[in-house]
Amino acid sequence: MTLHWGAEFVLKRLPQELQVKLRSIRCNPFHDTTPGKDDFLPICNGITGDVMLKMHADSPVRVSRGKMRTLFSEGLDIRYGKRIIHVTYSASTVTAEFEDGTHTTGNILVGCDGAKAKVRELLVGVEAAQLTVMPINMFNFTQTYTAEQALRINAIHPMFKISYYPGTAEMFWISIQDVPDPNKPETWLFQLMMSWGGSPTLEEMPTNEDRMRVFKERAQRWADPWRTAGLNVKNDTEIFTLPATYWMPTIWDNHNGRITLAGDAAHPMPPRKFVLNRKQVLRLICSRDRGQGLNNAMQDASNLVDALTDRAARADLKKAIDAYEAEMRERASKEVHISKEQATKVSDWKTLMDTPMVRMGMKKQADAVAAA
């Protein structure tokens, strides 16, 4: 994931004893992130490898979902493996019931359970909570290489790089996922993503062998370092497929402020779907939606804390949650619309240069509009 403008909300809320450990959540904690040095995503021509433009951001860093979860959960009592099935309310409490027969009661329930949120289903109904699937096909997986290959693949930019193939606008993304030892490139883990519109569809590639064949046939046409990255993927690598999805924030009954949503549960943006890779969870970001999902989630969390700690809010919980949801819904709806436009236009070479990533970069959409 890419953290940039949302970092201000992390610093605002994270205790000082955890802030000093923030470097540990980076995919490459050894990378020099001096402001102005690598604060852009290079967008390249897939045939020549030339950088067509640089999509700038506010001190972007690639962060690991697992590492971030570990740091942010320090000192918290988190119960994993719970599946919520029902919610009940009283005048002053809300109770969540779980699949294992247990339940817990509190003053407010915040659904932060991801793009396919069960809490969202309980709020708006199963049908209304469903994600909208876009006609975009994607591969997403991780890979290690020999030291020589890894150094070649990490050229152009040390964090991430993206290329589009002229004429078709097929996309090929490479980013650093983990750097255990900066002096041993053979230990570096890379994330690879490839996407395209049209055929072959995900249904037309039912086996991993089919997906590997399609992936390498397409990678063969690319310039380096994408060609090197693609052709040297090990044949026994599992290639995951997924569609681009989104959900437009709507109005729901928050039961007098007793229940609400935040993050991907409230506003999943395309592409937005989790993929379980034996050892870790990957998520697509940056390539099509300008890397806004994580950063908006950080603002949601910070704003919700403001709402719940304000003296007036404690006297009127419904008013506080209504205000939180109104701001979040307006902000996120605009970003989902932008992300839909982005995902659609980058799939067509003729409209690639008129995408939000070209016009706005990775800026917060309000800042981008103000600067226009």
Side-chain angles (χ1 to χ4, degrees):
M1 303 184 290
T2 305
L3 181 66
H4 38 100
W5 62 259
E8 68 170 283
F9 299 105
V10 175
L11 295 174
K12 181 179 179 180
R13 296 302 175 194
L14 207 62
Q16 185 61 39
E17 63 268 23
L18 297 186
Q19 287 190 30
V20 298
K21 302 178 183 179
L22 273 175
R23 179 172 283 272
S24 69
I25 72 174
R26 297 179 183 180
C27 293
N28 181 1
F30 309 100
H31 175 230
D32 178 10
T33 53
T34 300
K37 185 174 182 291
D38 295 312
D39 59 353
F40 63 92
L41 167 66
I43 301 175
C44 306
N45 182 305
I47 292 179
T48 66
D50 295 337
V51 176
M52 298 188 294
L53 63 97
K54 297 178 179 180
M55 187 163 79
H56 288 274
D58 297 325
S59 301
V61 291
R62 294 283 293 170
V63 297
S64 161
R65 174 181 296 278
K67 293 176 182 178
M68 187 168 70
R69 184 192 297 118
T70 298
L71 179 64
F72 288 8
S73 62
E74 283 191 19
L76 302 180
D77 179 15
I78 299 179
R79 312 291 176 86
Y80 291 101
K82 295 288 185 178
R83 292 180 175 273
I84 190 169
I85 58 172
H86 189 60
V87 179
T88 56
Y89 309 89
S90 73
S92 59
T93 64
V94 54
T95 298
E97 298 178 20
F98 302 101
E99 194 175 62
D100 62 5
T102 61
H103 66 273
T104 188
T105 298
N107 299 115
I108 183 171
L109 190 159
V110 182
C112 305
D113 46 337
K116 302 176 74 172
K118 179 63 177 179
V119 176
R120 188 172 70 235
E121 291 185 4
L122 296 173
L123 272 179
V124 303
V126 174
E127 184 175 349
Q130 294 306 300
L131 297 168
T132 298
V133 178
M134 302 183 72
I136 299 170
N137 310 297
M138 303 183 197
F139 292 146
N140 183 33
F141 59 97
T142 58
Q143 191 72 188
T144 57
Y145 298 91
T146 67
E148 181 182 358
Q149 291 165 352
L151 290 172
R152 185 182 306 166
I153 293 166
N154 210 41
I156 300 179
H157 196 284
M159 283 193 295
F160 44 25
K161 57 196 70 74
I162 186 171
S163 64
Y164 290 92
Y165 203 84
T168 64
E170 297 165 72
M171 184 277 295
F172 198 161
W173 160 281
I174 302 174
S175 60
I176 278 287
Q177 186 73 13
D178 190 32
V179 178
D181 187 335
N183 298 314
K184 294 183 177 179
E186 65 273 18
T187 67
W188 302 352
L189 185 69
F190 292 86
Q191 179 179 0
L192 308 183
M193 184 173 79
M194 182 182 286
S195 72
W196 67 96
S199 185
T201 64
L202 304 185
E203 292 73 22
E204 293 170 340
M205 300 174 291
T207 70
N208 199 66
E209 184 179 33
D210 292 331
R211 296 189 286 274
M212 183 65 71
R213 174 182 49 80
V214 170
F215 175 77
K216 289 198 171 183
E217 285 176 353
R218 289 172 178 261
Q220 173 74 38
R221 300 178 292 129
W222 247 270
D224 268 337
W226 296 273
R227 187 174 189 274
T228 293
L231 296 185
N232 288 286
V233 169
K234 302 171 188 66
N235 288 329
D236 61 351
T237 300
E238 187 170 2
I239 295 184
F240 298 99
T241 61
L242 58 160
T245 58
Y246 69 90
W247 187 77
M248 189 62 67
T250 186
I251 296 175
W252 53 75
D253 180 2
N254 62 32
H255 293 269
N256 293 315
R258 295 295 165 196
I259 186 169
T260 191
L261 299 174
D264 281 352
H267 44 70
M269 303 172 192
R272 186 65 60 222
K273 186 174 180 181
F274 296 105
V275 183
L276 184 61
N277 187 352
R278 296 185 184 98
K279 295 182 180 179
Q280 60 196 310
V281 173
L282 303 179
R283 184 183 326 164
L284 306 180
I285 53 90
C286 232
S287 54
R288 287 186 177 274
D289 64 5
R290 303 188 306 114
Q292 301 298 303
L294 170 63
N295 296 276
N296 274 280
M298 294 299 100
Q299 182 169 357
D300 290 350
S302 182
N303 289 358
L304 186 56
V305 171
D306 281 338
L308 295 176
T309 55
D310 180 80
R311 181 178 299 178
R314 292 199 296 269
D316 191 339
L317 182 61
K318 176 172 174 51
K319 183 177 180 180
I321 297 303
D322 282 348
Y324 157 75
E325 291 178 347
E327 186 282 332
M328 178 269 291
R329 190 176 295 114
E330 180 181 8
R331 166 172 46 85
S333 294
K334 291 178 181 177
E335 192 55 60
V336 173
H337 276 296
I338 293 170
S339 295
K340 284 174 57 184
E341 178 190 359
Q342 171 75 15
T344 300
K345 285 187 172 181
V346 296
S347 297
D348 186 335
W349 183 258
K350 295 188 295 294
T351 56
L352 176 63
M353 300 308 290
D354 184 39
T355 55
M357 72 178 182
V358 174
R359 301 195 309 265
M360 303 168 62
M362 282 187 274
K363 294 179 180 177
K364 188 177 181 180
Q365 53 97 358
D367 294 340
V369 170

